[in-house]
Amino acid sequence: MLLLSACGQAEASSATGNEPAKGTAAQSSDALNETAKEPMAKTLYITVNGKKISATLVENSSTRALVEKLAAGPITYEAHDYGDFEKVGELPWSLPRNDENITTVPGDLILYLGKNFVIYYDTNQWDFTRIGRVDGKSQAELKTFLNAGKGNVKITLSLE
């Protein structure tokens, strides 16, 4: 079984040539850069154990590529707990990276190293690509939804 770590050392530059922000404080989820990351008019749906929740995607080349891939149909991947703060699993394809230094909060959707989809149920800080944010769920609700700390889950991502 291959386990992927979402807290390894990030590479210096992304596949798109963007580099993490330099000389800036970590950005919280509540302080998104308005010029580069306005929410798209797209909603992502996340299904675990037959329960579906929605998330709002940010605007960047990573989310545009994700929406393009999901337009062909939903995907399901296996995710595991990592560090008592996230569920992480490998996508079937790589997406462009738009890494920046981010301090995550519960509900953040993150792309790690271009291929790992991460749903946070607690905080962490690293160079990540922001994908979006789960809509209207508390930390406790997210932990229950993701079966946090209780083993692997199959997660389905879809546009419907």
Side-chain angles (χ1 to χ4, degrees):
M1 175 177 183
L2 175 66
L3 290 179
L4 300 173
S5 169
C7 289
Q9 196 170 24
E11 297 174 10
S13 65
S14 70
T16 61
N18 294 339
E19 293 186 12
K22 291 184 172 86
T24 60
Q27 296 177 339
S28 75
S29 271
D30 295 331
L32 294 176
N33 178 332
E34 293 180 27
T35 57
K37 293 170 208 69
E38 284 293 323
M40 293 186 341
K42 286 287 182 186
T43 299
L44 177 69
Y45 294 96
I46 303 165
T47 304
V48 176
N49 295 325
K51 295 181 182 174
K52 186 185 282 190
I53 62 173
S54 65
T56 301
L57 297 174
V58 298
E59 171 63 41
N60 63 35
S61 62
S62 306
T63 57
R64 287 190 299 273
L66 177 62
V67 166
E68 183 179 308
K69 297 282 190 186
L70 292 177
I75 61 111
T76 300
Y77 68 96
E78 188 165 330
H80 64 275
D81 291 286
Y82 181 82
D84 282 334
F85 51 77
E86 67 186 45
K87 283 285 189 185
V88 58
E90 187 173 333
L91 295 173
W93 11 252
S94 292
L95 298 172
R97 291 172 59 183
N98 292 281
D99 291 349
E100 62 181 310
N101 191 269
I102 298 172
T103 299
T104 64
V105 296
D108 278 347
L109 304 179
I110 297 292
L111 179 66
Y112 179 68
L113 296 178
K115 192 159 174 127
N116 299 290
F117 197 90
V118 186
I119 304 172
Y120 277 87
Y121 53 83
D122 213 327
T123 60
N124 188 24
Q125 182 179 350
W126 200 258
D127 289 344
F128 302 120
T129 297
R130 188 181 308 280
I131 296 294
R133 183 101 179 265
V134 170
D135 298 326
K137 297 292 180 197
S138 70
Q139 182 177 24
E141 290 170 322
L142 280 169
K143 284 182 168 184
T144 298
F145 175 73
L146 293 169
N147 201 31
K150 297 178 183 171
N152 294 2
V153 294
K154 295 229 182 261
I155 297 177
T156 299
L157 304 177
S158 66
L159 299 176
E160 299 179 344

